[in-house]
Amino acid sequence: MDQHEPLFCCRLKHVFGAPLLTGLLTMGALTLSPRLAPTVLAADQPETGLLVKFTSGSGAVASLTDTTVLPGVVLFVEPGGSPSPFLPAGPFTAVWEGALLADLRGKYVFQAKLNGKLTLEINGAVLFEASATNGATPLSQPVQLNKGANPFRATFTPSGRSDEGAYVRLEWSERAPFTSPIPAAAFTHGASPTLANATQLRFGRELFLEHRCVRCHEEPAQTNGAPELKMDAPSFEGIGARRQHHWMLQWILNPKALRPTAHMPRIFSGPDATSAAEAAAAYLASLQGAGDPPLSAGVYRTEQRAAKPADEPAPADAERKPLYERLHCIGCHDPPDVAQPDPAKISQRHVGVKFLPGKLAEYLRAPQAHYAWTRMPDFHLSESEAKELESWLLAAVPTARVGPAPTAAAILEKGKTLVQTAGCLNCHSLKLENRFAAPKLAELTAERWNGGCLAAQAKPASKAPFFAFNAAQRAALQAFAATDRASLARSVPAEFAERQTRALNCIACHGALEGFPPLELLGGKLKPEWSAQFIGGEIRHKIRYDAHPRGEVWLEARMPAFKSRARHLAVGLAARDGYPPQSPAPPAIDPELAGVGRKLVGKDGGFSCVSCHGVGSLLAMEVFESEGVNLVYSADRLQPDFYRRWLRAPTSIDPQTKMPVYFDEGKSPLTEILDGDAEKQIAAIWQYLQLKEKMVPPGTGAE
């Protein structure tokens, strides 16, 4: 009833491949705005990333295969897991193929961090065959890359140890010995009929999950299955106290008429559809007793200091942008008064007739209160912020001017019966007997996937809901039906992260707004434990504050919470970059080396990191343009590999960073500390950071 469904159609070129995407667009499977539509390449034009073929088994028995596209030679598979939902758990082989691009002719070295064996071939020659058990291979011999495309192939087989995760991360460098991840843009691949077929299966599986088909057709065991099997829908408990009766009537009658991207089907068809919808809406409007939702405490910290210097006051509230703009709501929504709505976004023109008075602000403070898997995130709004947003939205749209909901006993009883028998309670929760039954999934043989929910037109006599799937969607679901559907019971974290970051439209902020790092960077940068807390809204302070000590604003947006997906997203982002779901325990801290790190961070003979970075209660001392992260958070946040790459060459990761380059080719300007050895100094600072909240602030030069 209250589904919030942001963009499904971002970055599809990497998911479906250009040939299949072209077909989907031609058949009308997707509606993309010009702003969001990916470039559709010609069939013979290469795409970013590498084709990867997974083969199950060890070669002694009949095997299954699956083909997809990955950004590079990166992979993590948990013990007892599978690299693909279409393959059973157990031994497997992964083969990446495509081309490696070089801007100029040059020599490169390669290194793999892995648990298994990797064979690397470039330009038809084997560069190396190496194996490691949770470690790094030696650097390869320098290999000459030609300007342009260099044919590339990599073959990975996991270690035989079943208690260790299988992983590989291939890196390169023009300057040994320090390597870095190969960017996805450096890899290309051509068209592949096998990929097109495999992608159609993925599309069908995704449609099956997103439309909650298992809710009616028997729910498989959820212990290790796709997390989306647990997706709920807005609760009916007390919905009459939250939603306008007239809006519910229109939504039930035809959800896609209000929102083209709606996943909810049309339940009632034929000449009696309107009267049935009226009765169901009247019954739902009578449900008033759900109580108050748990609201955010509004303790989201956004400023570094409690008070600004008296001589440099903060900008007046009247000079600030509306909160709607500061939170970048336009990334997923069309504002209420937009003249030409973007069909790929969720219009807000209906908010005035959807919510009862005061309930929009309540919803904004706790969007997940009655719908755990809502795509509307929690921005940790305070009461005043929620009211500000509500007032801004309602000022631009008409409010409902309709009479009260019908209360006649006969209509309410009819509506109650319809809710019980039409399938509503398979998705929506309510303390009421569910009298709807549908065929079990095992009974739905492939030939039965031509009618019912997949019918091309609504049939008045049918009891099946009408989803209005187009031809491409029906074909994808039918292709998925032809499988054994065992993939529903398998969870592949990296694939979940790819699906859900696309569904949640994460790239509307990440890589698009200042202060939001590119999405493809996050799995290799952040520890999954910390990411899970941050995505789940359990860390309610900004990592980088949004107000400069002098008062001017530099980062107005904030990271919202997606609590139901947080752990799955964090683990999936890490797996996508070849990292495990649990960070290895760090070695014991060396107090002496940590003391050296403390000196290096300070102003007294160190790098003066405290000019831009706070250390616990010691605030950043001399922020010129952009304040850095408070260093007590660094060890919990950062993957050690990323930390080392960042200190060695921050501009290679973020060309716009204000972080200075202190180390050049393994040398430090502070030659009197640890013999000027850059790697030793970087290790010493990491030891100091490992102290976290126990860090004693370094010297500031004022003692």
Side-chain angles (χ1 to χ4, degrees), residues 78 227 373 493 496-497 527-538 562-575 580-583:
E78 295 186 69
W373 276 78
F496 173 86
K527 290 181 177 177
E529 300 90 342
W530 187 88
S531 287
Q533 288 185 297
F534 192 52
I535 298 170
E538 297 173 27
F562 300 91
K563 194 170 184 64
S564 63
R565 298 166 171 84
R567 177 60 183 168
H568 298 299
L569 280 173
V571 169
L573 289 171
Q582 187 74 31
S583 300

PDB file of all heavy atoms in Angstrom, residues 78 227 373 493 496-497 527-538 562-575 580-583:
ATOM      1  N   GLU A  78      32.030 -17.025   0.574  1.00  0.00           N
ATOM      2  CA  GLU A  78      32.117 -17.529   1.939  1.00  0.00           C
ATOM      3  C   GLU A  78      32.220 -19.055   1.954  1.00  0.00           C
ATOM      4  O   GLU A  78      31.783 -19.727   1.009  1.00  0.00           O
ATOM      5  CB  GLU A  78      30.888 -17.097   2.738  1.00  0.00           C
ATOM      6  CG  GLU A  78      30.771 -15.601   2.954  1.00  0.00           C
ATOM      7  CD  GLU A  78      29.616 -15.251   3.865  1.00  0.00           C
ATOM      8  OE1 GLU A  78      29.702 -15.560   5.069  1.00  0.00           O
ATOM      9  OE2 GLU A  78      28.626 -14.682   3.377  1.00  0.00           O
ATOM     10  N   PRO A 227      18.004 -12.613   0.594  1.00  0.00           N
ATOM     11  CA  PRO A 227      17.403 -11.801   1.662  1.00  0.00           C
ATOM     12  C   PRO A 227      16.050 -11.220   1.294  1.00  0.00           C
ATOM     13  O   PRO A 227      15.200 -11.018   2.158  1.00  0.00           O
ATOM     14  CB  PRO A 227      18.445 -10.694   1.878  1.00  0.00           C
ATOM     15  CG  PRO A 227      19.747 -11.303   1.455  1.00  0.00           C
ATOM     16  CD  PRO A 227      19.396 -12.190   0.295  1.00  0.00           C
ATOM     17  N   TRP A 373      11.013  -3.096   5.054  1.00  0.00           N
ATOM     18  CA  TRP A 373      11.805  -3.119   3.829  1.00  0.00           C
ATOM     19  C   TRP A 373      11.474  -1.960   2.893  1.00  0.00           C
ATOM     20  O   TRP A 373      11.739  -2.026   1.696  1.00  0.00           O
ATOM     21  CB  TRP A 373      11.622  -4.457   3.101  1.00  0.00           C
ATOM     22  CG  TRP A 373      12.523  -5.521   3.645  1.00  0.00           C
ATOM     23  CD1 TRP A 373      12.351  -6.230   4.791  1.00  0.00           C
ATOM     24  CD2 TRP A 373      13.748  -5.991   3.078  1.00  0.00           C
ATOM     25  NE1 TRP A 373      13.379  -7.116   4.976  1.00  0.00           N
ATOM     26  CE2 TRP A 373      14.253  -6.995   3.930  1.00  0.00           C
ATOM     27  CE3 TRP A 373      14.460  -5.678   1.927  1.00  0.00           C
ATOM     28  CZ2 TRP A 373      15.444  -7.672   3.672  1.00  0.00           C
ATOM     29  CZ3 TRP A 373      15.641  -6.353   1.665  1.00  0.00           C
ATOM     30  CH2 TRP A 373      16.125  -7.336   2.526  1.00  0.00           C
ATOM     31  N   PRO A 493      26.139 -12.535  -1.529  1.00  0.00           N
ATOM     32  CA  PRO A 493      26.137 -11.160  -1.010  1.00  0.00           C
ATOM     33  C   PRO A 493      26.493 -10.093  -2.029  1.00  0.00           C
ATOM     34  O   PRO A 493      25.865  -9.035  -2.063  1.00  0.00           O
ATOM     35  CB  PRO A 493      27.159 -11.220   0.136  1.00  0.00           C
ATOM     36  CG  PRO A 493      27.107 -12.640   0.608  1.00  0.00           C
ATOM     37  CD  PRO A 493      26.900 -13.450  -0.634  1.00  0.00           C
ATOM     38  N   PHE A 496      23.541  -9.419  -4.183  1.00  0.00           N
ATOM     39  CA  PHE A 496      22.527  -8.667  -3.445  1.00  0.00           C
ATOM     40  C   PHE A 496      22.887  -7.183  -3.405  1.00  0.00           C
ATOM     41  O   PHE A 496      22.028  -6.315  -3.631  1.00  0.00           O
ATOM     42  CB  PHE A 496      22.404  -9.207  -2.019  1.00  0.00           C
ATOM     43  CG  PHE A 496      21.502  -8.382  -1.136  1.00  0.00           C
ATOM     44  CD1 PHE A 496      20.141  -8.615  -1.112  1.00  0.00           C
ATOM     45  CD2 PHE A 496      22.018  -7.365  -0.339  1.00  0.00           C
ATOM     46  CE1 PHE A 496      19.297  -7.849  -0.309  1.00  0.00           C
ATOM     47  CE2 PHE A 496      21.189  -6.591   0.462  1.00  0.00           C
ATOM     48  CZ  PHE A 496      19.825  -6.834   0.478  1.00  0.00           C
ATOM     49  N   ALA A 497      24.151  -6.874  -3.113  1.00  0.00           N
ATOM     50  CA  ALA A 497      24.569  -5.472  -3.047  1.00  0.00           C
ATOM     51  C   ALA A 497      24.397  -4.789  -4.388  1.00  0.00           C
ATOM     52  O   ALA A 497      23.979  -3.624  -4.455  1.00  0.00           O
ATOM     53  CB  ALA A 497      26.016  -5.374  -2.570  1.00  0.00           C
ATOM     54  N   LYS A 527      35.438  -1.182   6.435  1.00  0.00           N
ATOM     55  CA  LYS A 527      35.222  -2.486   7.053  1.00  0.00           C
ATOM     56  C   LYS A 527      33.726  -2.783   7.091  1.00  0.00           C
ATOM     57  O   LYS A 527      32.913  -1.902   7.394  1.00  0.00           O
ATOM     58  CB  LYS A 527      35.785  -2.493   8.471  1.00  0.00           C
ATOM     59  CG  LYS A 527      37.306  -2.445   8.537  1.00  0.00           C
ATOM     60  CD  LYS A 527      37.789  -2.474   9.980  1.00  0.00           C
ATOM     61  CE  LYS A 527      39.314  -2.502  10.051  1.00  0.00           C
ATOM     62  NZ  LYS A 527      39.808  -2.464  11.443  1.00  0.00           N
ATOM     63  N   PRO A 528      33.329  -4.017   6.795  1.00  0.00           N
ATOM     64  CA  PRO A 528      31.892  -4.332   6.743  1.00  0.00           C
ATOM     65  C   PRO A 528      31.184  -4.148   8.081  1.00  0.00           C
ATOM     66  O   PRO A 528      30.003  -3.798   8.110  1.00  0.00           O
ATOM     67  CB  PRO A 528      31.861  -5.784   6.273  1.00  0.00           C
ATOM     68  CG  PRO A 528      33.230  -6.324   6.545  1.00  0.00           C
ATOM     69  CD  PRO A 528      34.166  -5.171   6.419  1.00  0.00           C
ATOM     70  N   GLU A 529      31.878  -4.371   9.181  1.00  0.00           N
ATOM     71  CA  GLU A 529      31.234  -4.196  10.490  1.00  0.00           C
ATOM     72  C   GLU A 529      30.812  -2.742  10.693  1.00  0.00           C
ATOM     73  O   GLU A 529      29.706  -2.445  11.159  1.00  0.00           O
ATOM     74  CB  GLU A 529      32.169  -4.619  11.628  1.00  0.00           C
ATOM     75  CG  GLU A 529      32.614  -6.062  11.564  1.00  0.00           C
ATOM     76  CD  GLU A 529      33.892  -6.266  10.759  1.00  0.00           C
ATOM     77  OE1 GLU A 529      34.277  -5.375   9.972  1.00  0.00           O
ATOM     78  OE2 GLU A 529      34.520  -7.322  10.938  1.00  0.00           O
ATOM     79  N   TRP A 530      31.711  -1.824  10.338  1.00  0.00           N
ATOM     80  CA  TRP A 530      31.411  -0.407  10.489  1.00  0.00           C
ATOM     81  C   TRP A 530      30.360   0.024   9.473  1.00  0.00           C
ATOM     82  O   TRP A 530      29.428   0.767   9.795  1.00  0.00           O
ATOM     83  CB  TRP A 530      32.676   0.429  10.319  1.00  0.00           C
ATOM     84  CG  TRP A 530      32.453   1.875  10.620  1.00  0.00           C
ATOM     85  CD1 TRP A 530      32.544   2.495  11.824  1.00  0.00           C
ATOM     86  CD2 TRP A 530      32.060   2.885   9.663  1.00  0.00           C
ATOM     87  NE1 TRP A 530      32.241   3.829  11.696  1.00  0.00           N
ATOM     88  CE2 TRP A 530      31.938   4.096  10.382  1.00  0.00           C
ATOM     89  CE3 TRP A 530      31.807   2.881   8.307  1.00  0.00           C
ATOM     90  CZ2 TRP A 530      31.572   5.296   9.767  1.00  0.00           C
ATOM     91  CZ3 TRP A 530      31.431   4.070   7.689  1.00  0.00           C
ATOM     92  CH2 TRP A 530      31.323   5.252   8.414  1.00  0.00           C
ATOM     93  N   SER A 531      30.486  -0.452   8.239  1.00  0.00           N
ATOM     94  CA  SER A 531      29.506  -0.108   7.204  1.00  0.00           C
ATOM     95  C   SER A 531      28.103  -0.529   7.613  1.00  0.00           C
ATOM     96  O   SER A 531      27.130   0.203   7.392  1.00  0.00           O
ATOM     97  CB  SER A 531      29.868  -0.770   5.876  1.00  0.00           C
ATOM     98  OG  SER A 531      30.977  -0.166   5.281  1.00  0.00           O
ATOM     99  N   ALA A 532      27.979  -1.714   8.193  1.00  0.00           N
ATOM    100  CA  ALA A 532      26.662  -2.200   8.602  1.00  0.00           C
ATOM    101  C   ALA A 532      26.041  -1.264   9.632  1.00  0.00           C
ATOM    102  O   ALA A 532      24.843  -0.962   9.578  1.00  0.00           O
ATOM    103  CB  ALA A 532      26.775  -3.615   9.157  1.00  0.00           C
ATOM    104  N   GLN A 533      26.845  -0.793  10.573  1.00  0.00           N
ATOM    105  CA  GLN A 533      26.337   0.142  11.572  1.00  0.00           C
ATOM    106  C   GLN A 533      25.951   1.472  10.936  1.00  0.00           C
ATOM    107  O   GLN A 533      24.909   2.055  11.250  1.00  0.00           O
ATOM    108  CB  GLN A 533      27.392   0.381  12.652  1.00  0.00           C
ATOM    109  CG  GLN A 533      27.613  -0.782  13.590  1.00  0.00           C
ATOM    110  CD  GLN A 533      28.577  -0.390  14.696  1.00  0.00           C
ATOM    111  OE1 GLN A 533      29.736  -0.081  14.464  1.00  0.00           O
ATOM    112  NE2 GLN A 533      28.089  -0.376  15.910  1.00  0.00           N
ATOM    113  N   PHE A 534      26.794   1.946  10.029  1.00  0.00           N
ATOM    114  CA  PHE A 534      26.557   3.252   9.411  1.00  0.00           C
ATOM    115  C   PHE A 534      25.326   3.218   8.514  1.00  0.00           C
ATOM    116  O   PHE A 534      24.464   4.093   8.575  1.00  0.00           O
ATOM    117  CB  PHE A 534      27.794   3.664   8.615  1.00  0.00           C
ATOM    118  CG  PHE A 534      27.797   5.104   8.178  1.00  0.00           C
ATOM    119  CD1 PHE A 534      27.574   6.118   9.084  1.00  0.00           C
ATOM    120  CD2 PHE A 534      28.038   5.440   6.857  1.00  0.00           C
ATOM    121  CE1 PHE A 534      27.580   7.447   8.699  1.00  0.00           C
ATOM    122  CE2 PHE A 534      28.053   6.757   6.445  1.00  0.00           C
ATOM    123  CZ  PHE A 534      27.817   7.769   7.370  1.00  0.00           C
ATOM    124  N   ILE A 535      25.218   2.187   7.667  1.00  0.00           N
ATOM    125  CA  ILE A 535      24.057   2.065   6.786  1.00  0.00           C
ATOM    126  C   ILE A 535      22.789   1.844   7.604  1.00  0.00           C
ATOM    127  O   ILE A 535      21.704   2.292   7.229  1.00  0.00           O
ATOM    128  CB  ILE A 535      24.265   0.913   5.787  1.00  0.00           C
ATOM    129  CG1 ILE A 535      25.485   1.187   4.891  1.00  0.00           C
ATOM    130  CG2 ILE A 535      23.023   0.713   4.916  1.00  0.00           C
ATOM    131  CD1 ILE A 535      25.907   0.002   4.039  1.00  0.00           C
ATOM    132  N   GLY A 536      22.913   1.165   8.732  1.00  0.00           N
ATOM    133  CA  GLY A 536      21.761   0.895   9.585  1.00  0.00           C
ATOM    134  C   GLY A 536      21.351   2.051  10.471  1.00  0.00           C
ATOM    135  O   GLY A 536      20.376   1.941  11.220  1.00  0.00           O
ATOM    136  N   GLY A 537      22.082   3.162  10.424  1.00  0.00           N
ATOM    137  CA  GLY A 537      21.720   4.330  11.214  1.00  0.00           C
ATOM    138  C   GLY A 537      22.127   4.251  12.662  1.00  0.00           C
ATOM    139  O   GLY A 537      21.646   5.028  13.493  1.00  0.00           O
ATOM    140  N   GLU A 538      23.041   3.338  12.983  1.00  0.00           N
ATOM    141  CA  GLU A 538      23.462   3.207  14.369  1.00  0.00           C
ATOM    142  C   GLU A 538      24.592   4.165  14.724  1.00  0.00           C
ATOM    143  O   GLU A 538      24.951   4.293  15.896  1.00  0.00           O
ATOM    144  CB  GLU A 538      23.893   1.757  14.632  1.00  0.00           C
ATOM    145  CG  GLU A 538      22.751   0.764  14.452  1.00  0.00           C
ATOM    146  CD  GLU A 538      23.230  -0.681  14.552  1.00  0.00           C
ATOM    147  OE1 GLU A 538      24.250  -0.911  15.232  1.00  0.00           O
ATOM    148  OE2 GLU A 538      22.595  -1.558  13.946  1.00  0.00           O
ATOM    149  N   PHE A 562      19.236   2.569   6.054  1.00  0.00           N
ATOM    150  CA  PHE A 562      18.447   1.503   5.427  1.00  0.00           C
ATOM    151  C   PHE A 562      18.589   0.280   6.328  1.00  0.00           C
ATOM    152  O   PHE A 562      19.341  -0.648   6.026  1.00  0.00           O
ATOM    153  CB  PHE A 562      18.955   1.200   4.024  1.00  0.00           C
ATOM    154  CG  PHE A 562      18.899   2.368   3.073  1.00  0.00           C
ATOM    155  CD1 PHE A 562      19.975   3.218   2.945  1.00  0.00           C
ATOM    156  CD2 PHE A 562      17.759   2.609   2.324  1.00  0.00           C
ATOM    157  CE1 PHE A 562      19.937   4.292   2.071  1.00  0.00           C
ATOM    158  CE2 PHE A 562      17.708   3.680   1.445  1.00  0.00           C
ATOM    159  CZ  PHE A 562      18.791   4.532   1.316  1.00  0.00           C
ATOM    160  N   LYS A 563      17.878   0.289   7.429  1.00  0.00           N
ATOM    161  CA  LYS A 563      18.152  -0.672   8.501  1.00  0.00           C
ATOM    162  C   LYS A 563      17.955  -2.121   8.081  1.00  0.00           C
ATOM    163  O   LYS A 563      18.774  -2.981   8.403  1.00  0.00           O
ATOM    164  CB  LYS A 563      17.276  -0.354   9.717  1.00  0.00           C
ATOM    165  CG  LYS A 563      17.721  -1.073  10.979  1.00  0.00           C
ATOM    166  CD  LYS A 563      16.980  -0.540  12.199  1.00  0.00           C
ATOM    167  CE  LYS A 563      17.491  -1.189  13.478  1.00  0.00           C
ATOM    168  NZ  LYS A 563      18.897  -0.852  13.746  1.00  0.00           N
ATOM    169  N   SER A 564      16.886  -2.425   7.345  1.00  0.00           N
ATOM    170  CA  SER A 564      16.596  -3.820   7.004  1.00  0.00           C
ATOM    171  C   SER A 564      17.659  -4.415   6.086  1.00  0.00           C
ATOM    172  O   SER A 564      17.880  -5.624   6.076  1.00  0.00           O
ATOM    173  CB  SER A 564      15.226  -3.924   6.329  1.00  0.00           C
ATOM    174  OG  SER A 564      15.217  -3.207   5.105  1.00  0.00           O
ATOM    175  N   ARG A 565      18.336  -3.554   5.306  1.00  0.00           N
ATOM    176  CA  ARG A 565      19.303  -4.041   4.339  1.00  0.00           C
ATOM    177  C   ARG A 565      20.750  -3.840   4.797  1.00  0.00           C
ATOM    178  O   ARG A 565      21.680  -4.259   4.097  1.00  0.00           O
ATOM    179  CB  ARG A 565      19.117  -3.302   3.010  1.00  0.00           C
ATOM    180  CG  ARG A 565      17.771  -3.505   2.343  1.00  0.00           C
ATOM    181  CD  ARG A 565      17.582  -2.472   1.245  1.00  0.00           C
ATOM    182  NE  ARG A 565      16.427  -2.692   0.407  1.00  0.00           N
ATOM    183  CZ  ARG A 565      15.201  -2.297   0.701  1.00  0.00           C
ATOM    184  NH1 ARG A 565      14.971  -1.664   1.851  1.00  0.00           N
ATOM    185  NH2 ARG A 565      14.199  -2.522  -0.129  1.00  0.00           N
ATOM    186  N   ALA A 566      20.960  -3.207   5.933  1.00  0.00           N
ATOM    187  CA  ALA A 566      22.287  -2.706   6.292  1.00  0.00           C
ATOM    188  C   ALA A 566      23.357  -3.794   6.305  1.00  0.00           C
ATOM    189  O   ALA A 566      24.402  -3.666   5.648  1.00  0.00           O
ATOM    190  CB  ALA A 566      22.223  -2.005   7.649  1.00  0.00           C
ATOM    191  N   ARG A 567      23.138  -4.844   7.041  1.00  0.00           N
ATOM    192  CA  ARG A 567      24.158  -5.898   7.155  1.00  0.00           C
ATOM    193  C   ARG A 567      24.387  -6.578   5.802  1.00  0.00           C
ATOM    194  O   ARG A 567      25.529  -6.820   5.399  1.00  0.00           O
ATOM    195  CB  ARG A 567      23.735  -6.929   8.202  1.00  0.00           C
ATOM    196  CG  ARG A 567      24.690  -8.121   8.351  1.00  0.00           C
ATOM    197  CD  ARG A 567      26.077  -7.695   8.765  1.00  0.00           C
ATOM    198  NE  ARG A 567      26.995  -8.842   8.829  1.00  0.00           N
ATOM    199  CZ  ARG A 567      28.299  -8.731   8.946  1.00  0.00           C
ATOM    200  NH1 ARG A 567      28.871  -7.537   9.013  1.00  0.00           N
ATOM    201  NH2 ARG A 567      29.067  -9.809   8.999  1.00  0.00           N
ATOM    202  N   HIS A 568      23.313  -6.867   5.092  1.00  0.00           N
ATOM    203  CA  HIS A 568      23.447  -7.520   3.786  1.00  0.00           C
ATOM    204  C   HIS A 568      24.218  -6.632   2.807  1.00  0.00           C
ATOM    205  O   HIS A 568      25.064  -7.113   2.042  1.00  0.00           O
ATOM    206  CB  HIS A 568      22.069  -7.836   3.216  1.00  0.00           C
ATOM    207  CG  HIS A 568      21.258  -8.775   4.049  1.00  0.00           C
ATOM    208  ND1 HIS A 568      21.661 -10.063   4.324  1.00  0.00           N
ATOM    209  CD2 HIS A 568      20.054  -8.609   4.668  1.00  0.00           C
ATOM    210  CE1 HIS A 568      20.749 -10.653   5.070  1.00  0.00           C
ATOM    211  NE2 HIS A 568      19.775  -9.800   5.291  1.00  0.00           N
ATOM    212  N   LEU A 569      23.923  -5.328   2.810  1.00  0.00           N
ATOM    213  CA  LEU A 569      24.628  -4.409   1.917  1.00  0.00           C
ATOM    214  C   LEU A 569      26.104  -4.322   2.266  1.00  0.00           C
ATOM    215  O   LEU A 569      26.970  -4.345   1.387  1.00  0.00           O
ATOM    216  CB  LEU A 569      23.992  -3.019   1.986  1.00  0.00           C
ATOM    217  CG  LEU A 569      22.717  -2.798   1.181  1.00  0.00           C
ATOM    218  CD1 LEU A 569      22.126  -1.437   1.499  1.00  0.00           C
ATOM    219  CD2 LEU A 569      22.995  -2.907  -0.310  1.00  0.00           C
ATOM    220  N   ALA A 570      26.399  -4.206   3.559  1.00  0.00           N
ATOM    221  CA  ALA A 570      27.796  -4.067   3.984  1.00  0.00           C
ATOM    222  C   ALA A 570      28.611  -5.290   3.592  1.00  0.00           C
ATOM    223  O   ALA A 570      29.726  -5.173   3.058  1.00  0.00           O
ATOM    224  CB  ALA A 570      27.854  -3.836   5.489  1.00  0.00           C
ATOM    225  N   VAL A 571      28.072  -6.465   3.845  1.00  0.00           N
ATOM    226  CA  VAL A 571      28.774  -7.704   3.500  1.00  0.00           C
ATOM    227  C   VAL A 571      28.897  -7.830   1.981  1.00  0.00           C
ATOM    228  O   VAL A 571      29.944  -8.248   1.460  1.00  0.00           O
ATOM    229  CB  VAL A 571      28.030  -8.918   4.097  1.00  0.00           C
ATOM    230  CG1 VAL A 571      28.574 -10.223   3.542  1.00  0.00           C
ATOM    231  CG2 VAL A 571      28.138  -8.900   5.617  1.00  0.00           C
ATOM    232  N   GLY A 572      27.848  -7.457   1.266  1.00  0.00           N
ATOM    233  CA  GLY A 572      27.883  -7.556  -0.194  1.00  0.00           C
ATOM    234  C   GLY A 572      28.872  -6.608  -0.829  1.00  0.00           C
ATOM    235  O   GLY A 572      29.574  -6.973  -1.781  1.00  0.00           O
ATOM    236  N   LEU A 573      28.949  -5.379  -0.334  1.00  0.00           N
ATOM    237  CA  LEU A 573      29.916  -4.421  -0.876  1.00  0.00           C
ATOM    238  C   LEU A 573      31.340  -4.906  -0.641  1.00  0.00           C
ATOM    239  O   LEU A 573      32.216  -4.769  -1.505  1.00  0.00           O
ATOM    240  CB  LEU A 573      29.704  -3.051  -0.233  1.00  0.00           C
ATOM    241  CG  LEU A 573      28.437  -2.302  -0.661  1.00  0.00           C
ATOM    242  CD1 LEU A 573      28.233  -1.067   0.210  1.00  0.00           C
ATOM    243  CD2 LEU A 573      28.501  -1.908  -2.133  1.00  0.00           C
ATOM    244  N   ALA A 574      31.591  -5.471   0.539  1.00  0.00           N
ATOM    245  CA  ALA A 574      32.928  -6.007   0.825  1.00  0.00           C
ATOM    246  C   ALA A 574      33.236  -7.193  -0.089  1.00  0.00           C
ATOM    247  O   ALA A 574      34.334  -7.277  -0.665  1.00  0.00           O
ATOM    248  CB  ALA A 574      33.024  -6.413   2.295  1.00  0.00           C
ATOM    249  N   ALA A 575      32.280  -8.115  -0.247  1.00  0.00           N
ATOM    250  CA  ALA A 575      32.503  -9.293  -1.089  1.00  0.00           C
ATOM    251  C   ALA A 575      32.744  -8.907  -2.536  1.00  0.00           C
ATOM    252  O   ALA A 575      33.564  -9.515  -3.230  1.00  0.00           O
ATOM    253  CB  ALA A 575      31.298 -10.237  -0.990  1.00  0.00           C
ATOM    254  N   PRO A 580      36.226 -10.352   3.096  1.00  0.00           N
ATOM    255  CA  PRO A 580      35.307 -11.206   3.856  1.00  0.00           C
ATOM    256  C   PRO A 580      34.288 -10.380   4.637  1.00  0.00           C
ATOM    257  O   PRO A 580      34.456  -9.168   4.823  1.00  0.00           O
ATOM    258  CB  PRO A 580      36.246 -11.960   4.810  1.00  0.00           C
ATOM    259  CG  PRO A 580      37.402 -11.023   5.006  1.00  0.00           C
ATOM    260  CD  PRO A 580      37.582 -10.330   3.695  1.00  0.00           C
ATOM    261  N   PRO A 581      33.237 -11.041   5.138  1.00  0.00           N
ATOM    262  CA  PRO A 581      32.209 -10.322   5.895  1.00  0.00           C
ATOM    263  C   PRO A 581      32.645  -9.931   7.295  1.00  0.00           C
ATOM    264  O   PRO A 581      31.992  -9.119   7.945  1.00  0.00           O
ATOM    265  CB  PRO A 581      31.057 -11.328   5.953  1.00  0.00           C
ATOM    266  CG  PRO A 581      31.717 -12.658   5.849  1.00  0.00           C
ATOM    267  CD  PRO A 581      32.885 -12.457   4.944  1.00  0.00           C
ATOM    268  N   GLN A 582      33.735 -10.506   7.753  1.00  0.00           N
ATOM    269  CA  GLN A 582      34.251 -10.200   9.090  1.00  0.00           C
ATOM    270  C   GLN A 582      35.723  -9.845   8.966  1.00  0.00           C
ATOM    271  O   GLN A 582      36.512 -10.634   8.440  1.00  0.00           O
ATOM    272  CB  GLN A 582      34.092 -11.418  10.026  1.00  0.00           C
ATOM    273  CG  GLN A 582      34.454 -11.150  11.469  1.00  0.00           C
ATOM    274  CD  GLN A 582      33.408 -10.317  12.189  1.00  0.00           C
ATOM    275  OE1 GLN A 582      32.222 -10.404  11.879  1.00  0.00           O
ATOM    276  NE2 GLN A 582      33.839  -9.502  13.137  1.00  0.00           N
ATOM    277  N   SER A 583      36.089  -8.670   9.418  1.00  0.00           N
ATOM    278  CA  SER A 583      37.487  -8.248   9.325  1.00  0.00           C
ATOM    279  C   SER A 583      38.355  -9.096  10.248  1.00  0.00           C
ATOM    280  O   SER A 583      37.964  -9.374  11.391  1.00  0.00           O
ATOM    281  CB  SER A 583      37.626  -6.774   9.712  1.00  0.00           C
ATOM    282  OG  SER A 583      36.856  -5.960   8.866  1.00  0.00           O
TER     283      SER A 583
END
